[in-house]
Amino acid sequence: MEVLASPGDDLRKRLSSLFDGMMKALFRQKGAQLRVELLADPAVQSFIGAHASALDSAFGKVEMSDAMRRRLHRSDYIFSGLKTFHELNEAFPSLIDENGNRKSFEQFLNDVRRIDSTYNANYLRAEYNFAVSSAEMAAKWESFMKDGDRYNLQYRTQRDDKVRPEHAPLDRVTLPMSDSFWEEFYPPNGWNCRCTVVQVLKSKYPVTPHDRAMSLGEAALQRDKNGMFRFNPGKEKKTFPDYNPYTVRRCSSCPVAKGDKSLMLAFVPDNEVCAACALIRKLKECYTDVPVKNGRVRIHSAHGINEAEENINIAKYLAEKYGYRIDLLPNPDNEKSADSFNHSLGYKQEYKVNSKPTKGAVDNELRKAARQAKHVVIRIDSSIDLLDLTRGIKGRVSQSEIQEVIVIFNGKDLFLSREAILSNGFLIE
């Protein structure tokens, strides 16, 4: 099994940029305690989504069922959300200096840079590797399930000088798939674990006595004193165990974490981690993935009913063409329209379509869009005088805070910055 070293420098830079945006949201918060509800802020959701996407990318090419992939994506999101909560918690005290005065944002951001480096560079490398291993082993388990106990399963190390001494004795442990050994000691059995499991013919290898196998497993995980890694990603359909560095031990037996939806509505969290976990799961359940060939599109169940179909179409277009990761957000204040959040670009966007465009119609669509976002995508589905289109965009941008307009027109995508739009030389050709 090949384990990748990191999620890539480009993604690291994007996470760092989104971390800054998340810190701006934290800086705006008032009060003496961190509010769990901050996790629902668009800037924080953007960071969580980008972090989850980084983990998702670890197994993008691993073959598995769509159902398994959805469950692993969900696991990545929950893990990323809880990790983000810890980052916010760690950053919160830095809002105040040693004299009890609130710092400037620049000083605050400078002081919390180490958190970004620690969590989203150092820790992320190990977490990324773990996601690779978990997903590959989950996919293998799903494949093993087709045969059941027709074959036995055999534990295998890489048999090189990098194998951990405590894992080495597990090499060639052979048991039926139904043996409970695989519930606790199925790989990965630690950060950067390279162990794997294969199917073997029953006639070729003797079965390891169950008690002997369990004893070897206990010895292999002797450093995991809290039992964090005693899970099977294939059986549980999760990239990360419920008990991990960002949760507490009781999470390993929590019925909500195990997927008992009947308890979700009645669940009353009794600590901050539980409250954060409950909110993260609620936020995740509200979104549904929209099938796309490239990128990622999710739609919130409360997205604006009047614009949903058109927004989905434009989001799919941008995701498939540019690889964007886009969330269609819930409608604000029960309005009948809603905008999106483009995780790839790190800002809100509003999608508009104009089937009978004129200068006035374009201006009107942009006026409505400017109420919800500073970045606007407008699709022109029929002919329009280009001078009218130019004047319509320029006139509205000059009277609003719109920072960018993307025009989808005649098979072309025009990315127009505010500066370009307001310059004398701006003209759509």
Side-chain angles (χ1 to χ4, degrees):
M1 182 192 308
E2 181 181 358
V3 178
L4 303 180
S6 76
D9 292 337
D10 289 344
L11 199 103
R12 168 72 190 104
K13 291 177 181 177
R14 188 162 66 87
L15 277 175
S16 184
S17 175
L18 292 174
F19 178 87
D20 292 356
M22 179 170 68
M23 290 301 107
K24 287 182 181 178
L26 177 61
F27 187 78
R28 291 193 297 268
Q29 181 175 295
K30 306 297 182 182
Q33 289 186 323
L34 175 67
R35 294 174 58 252
V36 172
E37 291 76 15
L38 184 63
L39 289 166
D41 185 279
V44 180
Q45 279 294 297
S46 177
F47 180 84
I48 293 173
H51 190 281
S53 294
L55 298 176
D56 291 346
S57 69
F59 53 89
K61 296 182 180 180
V62 178
E63 292 187 8
M64 65 183 75
S65 70
D66 290 340
M68 177 67 80
R69 193 175 300 277
R70 284 194 299 270
R71 291 292 297 272
L72 298 186
H73 284 330
R74 184 176 187 276
S75 177
D76 284 346
Y77 177 85
I78 293 170
F79 178 85
S80 298
L82 288 166
K83 177 181 177 180
T84 299
F85 178 66
H86 274 260
E87 293 182 52
L88 291 168
N89 238 334
E90 192 167 324
F92 186 76
S94 295
L95 289 168
I96 307 299
D97 65 20
E98 62 274 11
N99 298 317
N101 299 316
R102 195 175 181 84
K103 298 176 183 176
S104 68
F105 176 70
E106 290 72 20
Q107 183 183 356
F108 165 69
L109 185 60
N110 183 64
D111 290 344
V112 297
R113 288 285 185 203
R114 59 178 177 77
I115 296 175
D116 178 38
S117 177
T118 298
Y119 281 84
N120 305 311
N122 300 339
Y123 293 172
L124 182 58
R125 279 191 289 269
E127 293 160 359
Y128 183 87
N129 285 338
F130 194 85
V132 174
S133 298
S134 284
E136 290 187 352
M137 295 311 299
K140 278 197 166 192
W141 186 265
E142 189 174 46
S143 177
F144 297 158
M145 287 179 63
K146 297 175 183 177
D147 296 314
D149 279 343
R150 179 182 176 188
Y151 299 97
N152 285 334
L153 302 185
Q154 187 174 85
Y155 195 105
R156 291 192 179 176
T157 67
Q158 296 298 314
R159 288 195 165 187
D160 57 24
D161 57 3
K162 296 180 181 179
V163 174
R164 299 170 208 193
E166 58 268 31
H167 286 196
L170 284 173
D171 189 57
R172 298 307 190 263
V173 164
T174 306
L175 292 162
M177 183 180 179
S178 58
D179 194 285
S180 61
F181 170 87
W182 303 114
E183 295 178 7
E184 292 193 59
F185 305 114
Y186 188 78
N189 283 313
W191 301 113
N192 299 314
C193 174
R194 299 176 301 139
C195 298
T196 189
V197 172
V198 298
Q199 285 180 316
V200 295
L201 293 172
K202 291 186 174 182
S203 59
K204 189 171 182 179
Y205 296 93
V207 172
T208 306
H210 172 78
D211 290 345
R212 170 65 176 161
M214 295 298 288
S215 177
L216 291 172
E218 292 289 347
L221 268 65
Q222 58 183 301
R223 296 185 182 181
D224 180 28
K225 298 185 183 299
N226 295 321
M228 186 178 300
F229 296 108
R230 295 175 185 242
F231 90 117
N232 181 320
K235 290 193 71 171
E236 298 190 30
K237 298 179 176 62
K238 296 174 181 178
T239 42
F240 293 91
D242 295 321
Y243 178 36
N244 57 63
Y246 309 115
T247 62
V248 294
R249 180 182 291 187
R250 61 188 290 189
C251 296
S252 62
S253 58
C254 174
V256 173
K258 298 304 179 187
D260 189 341
K261 293 186 177 181
S262 65
L263 295 178
M264 284 295 291
L265 294 177
F267 178 69
V268 178
D270 59 5
N271 60 67
E272 286 186 341
V273 173
C274 284
C277 181
L279 179 56
I280 290 164
R281 290 174 186 277
K282 181 179 178 181
L283 291 168
K284 177 59 179 175
E285 292 297 335
C286 290
Y287 282 93
T288 302
D289 286 301
V290 177
V292 287
K293 298 177 182 177
N294 188 31
R296 186 176 184 182
V297 175
R298 301 190 309 168
I299 182 170
H300 195 280
S301 58
H303 189 66
I305 56 175
N306 284 7
E307 294 187 359
E309 182 176 358
E310 181 57 37
N311 284 358
I312 290 173
N313 289 337
I314 296 178
K316 288 176 65 176
Y317 173 85
L318 294 172
E320 291 181 344
K321 189 168 184 178
Y322 300 105
Y324 291 158
R325 289 169 291 277
I326 299 170
D327 279 355
L328 299 177
L329 301 174
N331 58 329
D333 303 320
N334 294 319
E335 294 178 8
K336 292 184 178 180
S337 62
D339 51 17
S340 71
F341 199 94
N342 192 326
H343 290 288
S344 298
L345 299 178
Y347 52 62
K348 276 189 177 182
Q349 283 182 298
E350 168 65 358
Y351 300 150
K352 292 291 180 181
V353 63
N354 199 309
S355 57
K356 296 180 180 179
T358 62
K359 174 187 173 184
V362 170
D363 177 82
N364 186 53
E365 293 292 350
L366 290 176
R367 177 177 54 80
K368 291 186 291 184
R371 297 173 183 170
Q372 299 183 62
K374 295 180 181 180
H375 300 265
V376 180
V377 180
I378 184 167
R379 189 167 79 179
I380 307 298
D381 285 344
S382 60
S383 62
I384 182 176
D385 182 87
L386 294 183
L387 187 57
D388 280 349
L389 179 57
T390 296
R391 289 172 174 171
I393 294 175
K394 189 170 184 178
R396 179 48 51 188
V397 170
S398 66
Q399 301 176 54
S400 69
E401 297 184 1
I402 292 176
Q403 298 299 309
E404 180 188 56
V405 177
I406 300 176
V407 182
I408 302 174
F409 178 59
N410 279 346
K412 296 181 179 179
D413 306 333
L414 306 174
F415 291 75
L416 308 172
S417 67
R418 181 181 181 86
E419 291 74 18
I421 293 170
L422 297 180
S423 68
N424 293 330
F426 168 71
L427 180 66
I428 296 176
E429 299 179 348

